[in-house]
Amino acid sequence: MQEDEIRGLVASVKEGTLSRRSFIQRMMAAGIAAPIASQILGWNDVAMANATLAYKPTKAGGGGPLKMLLWQAPTLLNPHFAAGTKEQVASRVFFEPLAGWDKEGNLIPQLAAEIPSKANGGLSEDGTRVVWKLKQGVKWHDGKPFTADDVVFTWEYAADPATAAYTSGAYKDIKVEKVDDFTVKVIFAKPTPFWADPFVGVAGMIIPKHHFGDYKGANSREAPANLKPVGTGPYKFADFKPGDILTGIRNEHYHVANQPHFDTIELKGGGDAVSAARAVLQTGEFDYAWNLQVEDEVLKRLEAGGRGHVIASPSGDLEFITLNTTDPWTEVEGERSSVKTKHPTLSDPAVRQAINFLIDRDSIQKFIYGRGGTATASFVNEPGRFKSTKLKYGFDIEKANRILDEAGWKKGADGIREKGGKKLKYVFQTAINAPRQKTQAIIKQACQKAGIDLELKSVAPSVFFSSDLGNPDTNTKFYCDMEMYTTSQSQPDPERSLNQFVSWEIASKANKWQGRNVSRYSDLAADEAYKAAQKELDPAKRAAYLIKVNEIFCEANVILPILSRTRMVAAGTGLNVDHSGWDADTWNLAAWYRNIA
């Protein structure tokens, strides 16, 4: 679709002759995903839509308990240390950003009074400034008022390198000024097309200055509020047993009328995805189960029980494998997988290329995930305009063998290839989860036929996705040769997700392994393309830069995409949830309610 056509359709929406929904449908038919279509309307001063769940209760409370299962149990409740999705979901019960993303990619105000636009003076024409007007009358759970000081402090906290915040990428290159008690100005160093990153979604949760002010910087991990949060959200903290159970009670002073509906909330951790699905769909013991990475045939059988249903939401999430190009078995200055080392065999591009041909993505999709994922060779898949059309995948054991033969890797008497005394033997780790263990087995079998030996390692999810600095088995430490997990694209724009591929985000002991580049691989061309995208206001040119970043890492076979994931959750019969594939499951938790007969 040409630019003049898009402008004509936008004009029709403004005139009222074309509905917002019809505009989005036409954009989708032309290959422009719904979230991007919504942003086009927003940039052209067409108001964002209302939240996607109509709230029907006429008073707050009375809904009884809400029982949720997070089978990967959270271990902390500070959103700026939330490297794992489970911590992001749990933190969002108590903390809120200025705005969140609904399932259609619309920005919905939460602690903001309105979404910034050029029409209301919130967005500058040159893309360098955003003014946020804050909602007034909001109180922290301890009764203190929420003000612009808390927003400015959140920026200072996350941007401080000594804090080692997981969200630092959203804050380190901006300045935030207090205009008045209920207005803040975000200043970007250069034109920034995707301005809805700081203070938005999972990276944007605001924390109270009066609870964290003494814990900014080097002693950030010592804050009592890391485990006993005081937020502005719909539920107040009651109790937390890390790795087990989290409970909260209704915030009677919540800033949205008649919300929340439920009197208490419980997030239970542990178990596995299948037992979580069964507890909602078959037994009805719980109301909601998160992240159902379960074989689709199993889900279909459980749904037949009639106690609940599966909700599948499109998202930018990706199941993928990372190959370690540093040495995970040699310690340098207190850390393994140091950028000062080189992997003895995976630093060979031919070996990485061969492994990529040994992943049977189509079978993994067909026999394991079904509705839960689509085979892909691209790290970014949604929205579609950011997906590479160049990247292709293939499953070819013979080709993998030829590549290794030509690179000089010969099979020994034990059938394992070696060169220069170094064998192609790897430890391949992932979280404990039936689909992942089955995926590991499929890949191991193919690798054996190519002379590559894989030792399969399964780590408890509460450990694998933990930010425990003393634990060697976390995915960010990457103390093995290969690992597999899902990365969540937490907004309908891939810029923040792709900072996993920039050199300044490499995870290391220095940043307490909170850097988002877990692979440790870097490429100057990727760095330059990423920086160019950050300041490019032309949508087509910006997309091309981001696609290039994606292609560099995928073509280097350091990142091996497997499936573009659909977010699958289970909800009990009568439970109304506002589930979004672009934000945390609990992004609009205050609006959840149960039908009451």
Side-chain angles (χ1 to χ4, degrees):
M1 183 173 286
Q2 299 298 315
E3 185 177 352
D4 56 348
E5 293 179 83
I6 296 176
R7 287 177 177 172
L9 291 173
V10 169
S12 296
V13 175
K14 285 185 171 183
E15 293 166 0
T17 58
L18 181 68
S19 71
R20 180 187 183 90
R21 182 171 294 276
S22 295
F23 174 85
I24 291 174
Q25 289 173 341
R26 292 198 189 186
M27 293 295 103
M28 291 174 66
I32 299 174
I36 300 302
S38 293
Q39 289 181 61
I40 290 172
L41 291 176
W43 184 255
N44 286 279
D45 296 324
V46 178
M48 285 284 186
N50 294 323
T52 49
L53 177 66
Y55 186 72
K56 294 184 179 179
T58 56
K59 67 179 183 68
L66 174 64
K67 299 179 68 177
M68 303 175 65
L69 268 174
L70 301 185
W71 56 273
Q72 293 178 7
T75 56
L76 55 80
L77 299 172
N78 182 329
H80 296 281
F81 296 151
T85 306
K86 56 191 173 60
E87 275 82 24
Q88 295 165 4
V89 171
S91 297
R92 196 66 164 270
V93 173
F94 309 106
F95 296 104
E96 299 174 297
L98 298 187
W101 297 103
D102 76 0
K103 65 184 180 183
E104 294 183 353
N106 297 307
L107 264 185
I108 305 297
Q110 293 189 299
L111 288 177
E114 61 185 5
I115 298 301
S117 68
K118 288 187 285 186
N120 64 25
L123 299 179
S124 65
E125 289 286 347
D126 64 359
T128 62
R129 296 179 305 282
V130 177
V131 175
W132 287 94
K133 294 181 180 178
L134 309 182
K135 195 171 186 179
Q136 299 188 33
V138 178
K139 293 184 178 180
W140 295 101
H141 293 157
D142 60 4
K144 301 285 187 182
F146 160 72
T147 70
D149 291 328
D150 298 303
V151 180
V152 173
F153 171 76
T154 298
W155 159 63
E156 294 172 342
Y157 177 92
D160 186 340
T163 301
Y166 180 72
T167 57
S168 64
Y171 298 96
K172 64 184 181 64
D173 297 323
I174 65 172
K175 291 184 178 180
V176 180
E177 296 178 354
K178 174 182 175 180
V179 178
D180 58 43
D181 283 347
F182 297 101
T183 310
V184 296
K185 181 188 295 184
V186 179
I187 303 170
F188 297 96
K190 52 186 176 294
T192 302
F194 189 69
W195 52 268
D197 187 16
F199 309 121
V200 171
V202 297
M205 286 177 259
I206 311 301
I207 58 176
K209 180 178 181 179
H210 61 287
H211 279 274
F212 287 93
D214 293 334
Y215 298 95
K216 178 174 73 71
N219 65 340
S220 60
R221 299 280 169 161
E222 300 169 15
N226 289 340
L227 297 174
K228 295 181 178 180
V230 176
T232 58
Y235 297 95
K236 297 191 296 185
F237 175 81
D239 191 32
F240 181 43
K241 294 179 175 60
D244 182 16
I245 193 168
L246 169 66
T247 57
I249 59 174
R250 180 173 66 86
N251 178 6
E252 66 274 23
H253 301 297
Y254 189 57
H255 55 86
V256 179
N258 303 324
Q259 293 184 3
H261 171 67
F262 296 98
D263 300 303
T264 61
I265 186 169
E266 173 188 307
L267 277 75
K268 175 65 177 173
D272 55 51
V274 174
S275 61
R278 184 177 294 114
V280 175
L281 300 173
Q282 190 174 72
T283 70
E285 182 184 357
F286 282 82
D287 300 302
Y288 183 87
W290 157 88
N291 188 20
L292 296 186
Q293 193 169 10
V294 177
E295 293 168 72
D296 201 22
E297 286 303 312
V298 174
L299 287 178
K300 289 176 180 177
R301 290 198 300 270
L302 293 175
E303 280 183 291
R307 302 298 294 269
H309 62 283
V310 171
I311 301 172
S313 298
S315 76
D317 298 356
L318 182 84
E319 183 82 358
F320 71 109
I321 293 171
T322 300
L323 301 183
N324 199 341
T325 55
T326 62
D327 189 347
W329 313 112
T330 299
E331 184 172 303
V332 177
E333 298 173 358
E335 66 177 314
R336 289 152 51 188
S337 293
S338 167
V339 291
K340 295 180 180 179
T341 65
K342 187 171 74 170
H343 196 285
T345 60
L346 287 175
S347 55
D348 183 344
V351 175
R352 302 198 302 268
Q353 184 185 22
I355 292 173
N356 200 14
F357 277 112
L358 297 169
I359 303 172
D360 189 354
R361 294 167 173 85
D362 288 333
S363 291
I364 293 167
Q365 176 189 334
K366 181 178 179 181
F367 297 111
I368 301 177
Y369 283 86
R371 290 174 292 174
T374 302
T376 185
S378 178
F379 187 83
V380 176
N381 296 276
E382 294 289 346
R385 69 192 297 260
F386 293 105
K387 181 178 180 179
S388 169
T389 57
K390 180 182 177 184
L391 296 170
K392 307 293 181 184
Y393 67 84
F395 175 59
D396 194 329
I397 295 174
E398 289 185 10
K399 188 169 184 176
N401 273 300
R402 286 198 304 272
I403 291 169
L404 293 172
D405 285 338
E406 292 169 3
W409 294 94
K410 305 300 181 184
K411 288 184 179 179
D414 56 2
I416 301 172
R417 291 182 182 269
E418 59 181 296
K419 182 170 70 172
K422 299 172 183 176
K423 288 181 174 287
L424 300 188
K425 298 184 67 172
Y426 304 117
V427 174
F428 177 20
Q429 76 176 13
T430 189
I432 296 173
N433 170 276
R436 286 193 172 130
Q437 269 69 74
K438 290 192 175 184
T439 300
Q440 279 184 311
I442 289 173
I443 296 169
K444 177 181 175 72
Q445 186 178 41
C447 283
Q448 284 176 330
K449 295 177 181 178
I452 298 173
D453 182 57
L454 299 185
E455 176 188 332
L456 303 184
K457 180 178 179 180
S458 300
V459 182
S462 60
V463 172
F464 189 68
F465 296 109
S466 168
S467 30
D468 178 4
L469 299 182
N471 199 312
D473 291 326
T474 62
N475 71 305
T476 57
K477 280 194 172 175
F478 200 3
Y479 285 179
C480 66
D481 304 291
M482 305 167 55
E483 65 181 9
M484 176 175 62
Y485 58 97
T486 286
T487 184
S488 297
Q489 186 178 309
S490 56
Q491 52 198 198
D493 184 280
E495 182 182 306
R496 175 167 170 74
S497 184
L498 283 170
N499 73 3
Q500 294 174 74
F501 295 165
V502 296
S503 61
W504 54 91
E505 281 284 340
I506 287 175
S508 67
K509 182 182 178 182
N511 58 32
K512 300 177 182 178
W513 293 280
Q514 290 292 294
R516 300 197 72 223
N517 184 343
V518 174
S519 76
R520 276 74 159 169
Y521 185 78
S522 64
D523 186 294
L524 181 59
D527 284 353
E528 291 176 345
Y530 187 87
K531 290 177 180 178
Q534 287 184 300
K535 61 184 180 182
E536 180 55 66
L537 295 177
D538 182 285
K541 291 179 181 178
R542 178 169 176 271
Y545 284 128
L546 293 175
I547 288 170
K548 182 178 180 180
V549 176
N550 175 18
E551 290 175 345
I552 287 171
F553 271 67
C554 292
E555 289 178 333
N557 296 300
V558 171
I559 299 295
L560 310 180
I562 301 174
L563 294 168
S564 173
R565 290 278 307 277
T566 302
R567 289 194 187 174
M568 308 277 279
V569 301
T573 300
L575 179 66
N576 296 274
V577 305
D578 198 357
H579 187 246
S580 171
W582 302 110
D583 209 324
D585 285 36
T586 46
W587 83 277
N588 196 20
L589 183 64
W592 291 22
Y593 67 95
R594 182 181 286 118
N595 295 333
I596 299 176

